[in-house]
Amino acid sequence: MTTELIVAGFGGQGVLLFGKFLALSGLKEEKEVVWIPSYGPEMRGGTCNCTVVVSDDPIGSPIIDAPNTVVVMNKPSLTKFGPRVSSDGLLLINSSLIDTTSDRTDIKIETVPANEIALELGNGRAANMVALGAYIALTKAVKFDTVLDVIRESFAKKKEFIDLNLAAAKRGYELAS
Amino acid sequence: MSKVVFKRPKALADVVTHYCPGCSHGIVHRIVAECIDELGIQERTVGVAPVGCSVLAYNYFNVDFFEASHGRAPAVATGAKRARPDLIVFAYQGDGDLASIGMAEIVHACNRGEKFTVIFINNTVYGMTGGQMAPTTMPGQVTTTSPYGRDVNQIGWPIRMCELLSSLKTDGFIARTSAHSPAEIIKTKKAIKKAFELQVANRCFTFVEVLSTCPTNWGMMPIQAQKRIEEELLPYYPLGVFKSPNGDASKS
Amino acid sequence: MAKVLMKGNEALAEAAIMAGCKLFFGYPITPQNEIPEYLSRRLPQVDGGCYLQAESEVAAANMLYGAAGVGERVLTSSSGPGISLMSEGLSYIAGAQLPVVVVNMVRGGPGLGGILPAQSDYYQATRGLGHGDFRVLVLAPSTVQEAADLVMDAFDLADKYRSPVMVLGDGLIGQMMEPVEFKKKEKVELPPKTWAATGYKGDRERSIINSLYLDPLELEENSWRLKARYDAMGRDELRWELTNCEGDYDVLITAYGSTARICKTVIETLKKQGISVGLFRPITLFPYPYKQLRDAAQKAKTVFCVEMSTGQMLDDVKLALEGSRPTQFYGRTGGIIPTPDEIIGQIEKILKGEEVDKR
Ligand SMILES: Cc1ncc(C[n+]2csc(CCOP(=O)(O)OP(=O)(O)O)c2C)c(N)n1
Ligand code: SF4
Ligand SMILES: [Mg+2]
């Protein structure tokens, strides 16, 4: 199986971390992984995205024209990456910040109110982890338990964030399961 | 009947800049454009953009422009001004551009008394490339390439360009101002206007350093960044006129 | 050691430390900033380690000259405009026969160009790094793991040949994260650095680090001495990789670095359609594996060169083939990365006997 992902949003929404946690989870499961950030002038403008591939086979091109999954955390990202999801692919929309959807009929479209849930849990910045939880439930790209381990390990130095991020990922996962 | 009291200077292009919220570059751009308007020199002004966050300055001014290589703007400006002394030429440079890689060009342009104007944006970091240490970075300041804080025993003290340039014997106008408060912004405008006036009068090399904010790479909110200038930078980088062609200098 | 997920730039930097590199001199430039940033954190933790941000790439190259001249392992990294500024220093370093390692994360040019990945500095790296009769050994990784491995080898090769070695990546290799394992290398037997300027105690000839030869015969001698080393590299250090070249194929792709891995996806995709295409990936770009490419091309009707440039390695491909096979070229540049689909479209044209698009 090969999961290709583009996750996009404003700088500061934690989309690079979303991608990195997926890649780290893939690595933990001994899969092939690659993660590439957008870099360049657009970063000053505030939008940001990364591409992740998790695969059972060696990864050739790390540049994915039409990924089979896309997660958009803000509206400009929906406009930019919505059209690029491959046929039969998945588009996951952060409905807290995006009040529209895609008119494509050849893909699966799901929504998650990531910011609202994160705020309920006490910190809007965990929206990325809510979305990650939902994403794992929808794609099964890696095991959810692996993601939880990655969250625990990655925040090992900032213990106060562990519970919040675990809770956020779990809520997202449950909501989308 | 209502009266227009505030409008975009003619010399400033009607576009959205790429600068981050709270960045001083936009303020200084506006000041330079106002001066160009007020002196009526738009049609004969040529700017030289550096490599740094203001690399796209050529999109933001309604005047002809060069884009120079990193640090070499004073050399490009020298070529243009020597070839066409009737042009009003200004170089706009950051602290990495001017005080690091371009140190030789600025010192020699100043020493030759090149009759153009340099606007020097000192924000104590390399903004464009993601906040690395600059020659102007403050002692102890943490940047992406001084993760343990700038250690003056290893890399020396921040370079004070106004002081350094005003030690040269050649005539010049050299001033340091700041963009951290409305009052200082008004003084910045005065200094920049003076610099352009002296160039129009074909008097001397003119140089205005503006202490500037980079909230993004300082990891601060804009207001905090303005405070940092006031509290941390001003004690080390005194404001004032360091040198002027009639020989008078006034430091705060 | 377990695999860790790292950016290419950071993996390169860590690999340099593992190879015994003690000093780094450089100047920030995108897309390689993570190398100096990483080393500014790591080198102070290393015994005798020194990280110094130079005032310019001109200065950095000469700091390299100084550190290599006293016999230490030293690294710099840069891109496009920065490498251009280093070229004077690198020419002196080559002339004085000093070992240094230079990482070049290529971005689009000429001039200020852009900051996105490109392969448009192939000529500069393999032919035009500075004035005079000199070359540098150029290694081109296509994965993060390979980047780390090649950096470790680069230090040994530099010492062995007393020559600058360049690791030529691009923005993609530098920015992407992949799993990497830092393998402890076997120690390579290297000649002692008796030529280093470490203080004259009367027990050897004085060490003069120098590239000035006013006597033309001596200067000629130096140039031929360098040439002999390049010939030895061409004999002993060639590296290349063949993919899908066991069976038959009408088209042989040649590509290096990032572009080569994109072409691997092309090969896998075409395989599923029953079309077999081979890939020849040079890893040493200077010296170039000419004969190996010519051999691999024997089964092919056409050799198809794909680059992120307007056609630079293509010259070496033609030199390799000596007219024995027709070549076709497809290039994207300026920071645009060709997609597998784009390349497949061109291969379909070749198979139909049509000319490919230039871009
Ligand atoms: C020869 C060369 N070296 C390095 C760079 C990369 N570079 C681009 S902008 C910049 C620093 C700019 O910092 P500064 O002059 O302080 O301007 P700021 O962005 O802070 O306004 C550097 C190092 C380059 N373009 N060319
Ligand atoms: S990075 Fe700093 S200098 Fe550059 S635009 Fe943003 S605030 Fe201004
Ligand atoms: Mg700066």
Side-chain angles (χ1 to χ4, degrees), chain B residues 95-96 121 123 125-127:
Chain B
D95 47 331
I121 303 298
N123 59 12
V125 283
Y126 288 53

Side-chain angles (χ1 to χ4, degrees), chain A residues 44-121:
Chain A
R44 282 276 174 282
T47 63
C48 165
N49 71 78
C50 67
T51 303
V52 181
V53 184
V54 179
S55 179
D56 298 322
D57 305 309
I59 299 164
S61 173
I63 299 294
I64 309 293
D65 229 12
N68 51 27
T69 65
V70 166
V71 178
V72 289
M73 296 297 285
N74 68 355
K75 218 165 170 173
S77 301
L78 173 63
T79 317
K80 188 164 174 192
F81 296 108
R84 280 182 46 187
V85 186
S86 67
S87 273
D88 300 326
L90 168 77
L91 174 63
L92 177 59
I93 296 175
N94 174 14
S95 56
S96 301
L97 298 187
I98 307 173
D99 54 8
T100 53
T101 180
S102 162
D103 50 17
R104 288 184 59 176
T105 52
D106 60 330
I107 57 172
K108 190 165 133 195
I109 299 174
E110 298 282 348
T111 59
V112 58
N115 292 66
E116 277 152 77
I117 294 175
L119 281 172
E120 270 172 36
L121 293 170

Side-chain angles (χ1 to χ4, degrees), chain A residues 16 19-21 23-25 27 31-42 58-66, chain C residues 3-5 7 30-31 106 115-117 170-172 175-179 258 261-262 264-265 337-341:
Chain A
L16 297 185
K20 189 174 171 186
F21 282 6
L24 282 170
S25 305
L27 176 61
K31 296 181 197 290
E32 303 283 341
V33 300
V34 57
W35 172 99
I36 307 172
S38 59
Y39 76 96
E42 76 237 45
I59 299 164
S61 173
I63 299 294
I64 309 293
D65 229 12
Chain C
K3 284 189 179 177
V4 285
L5 190 67
K7 271 195 173 189
T30 312
V106 181
I115 58 176
L116 296 174
D170 60 53
L172 200 58
Q175 294 297 321
M176 83 187 166
M177 279 205 267
E178 280 188 309
S258 297
R261 58 185 291 162
I262 294 167
K264 286 186 183 172
T265 297
I337 300 168
T339 64
D341 283 350

